[in-house]
Amino acid sequence: QVQLVESGGGLVQAGGSLRLSCAASGSIFSIKTMGWYRQAPENQRELVATITTGGEIDYADSVKGRFTISRDNAKNTVYLQMNSLKPEDTAVYYCNTLYKTSWYSADFRSWGQGTQVTVSS
């Protein structure tokens, strides 16, 4: 079982910045992908950004040029630097990882508990 511990959410004014962190621990043999999703009230959970072990990155169109995802493979930690924040970025942000527990195991997915990001206008 893998635990994801998120930190860094909060309240910020429009145009401001926040940095989210997520550390994975537990029965990890290897991590393929780490990323961030978000869910605003009455909306579906949506992808924000993901990064593979090899450094391949994918961003939602709505955050390109404003958010930067990075990863410390040695620490099993992923970061999300959020700049030029807008009120529409307000949501609960969830960390996500795709991992293996052994060389031959299937891929497993784990979610963090979520951290609230609120952007005031």
Side-chain angles (χ1 to χ4, degrees), residues 50-110:
T50 60
I51 182 168
T52 69
T53 302
E56 295 177 5
I57 292 173
D58 185 28
Y59 290 108
D61 288 342
S62 59
V63 307
K64 285 180 180 177
R66 300 188 298 122
F67 291 10
T68 302
I69 190 170
S70 61
R71 178 172 165 178
D72 185 334
N73 291 331
K75 295 181 179 180
N76 288 336
T77 299
V78 64
Y79 307 95
L80 186 68
Q81 178 66 43
M82 305 185 292
N83 299 328
S84 302
L85 282 161
K86 305 175 181 179
E88 50 263 43
D89 294 318
T90 295
V92 177
Y93 284 68
Y94 295 92
C95 180
N96 175 271
T97 183
L98 190 66
Y99 66 96
K100 288 183 174 291
T101 57
S102 68
W103 181 83
Y104 50 82
S105 80
D107 292 341
F108 294 94
R109 189 175 295 277
S110 184

Side-chain angles (χ1 to χ4, degrees), residues 43-54:
N43 287 359
Q44 291 187 334
R45 191 171 297 187
E46 63 178 6
L47 180 146
V48 176
T50 60
I51 182 168
T52 69
T53 302

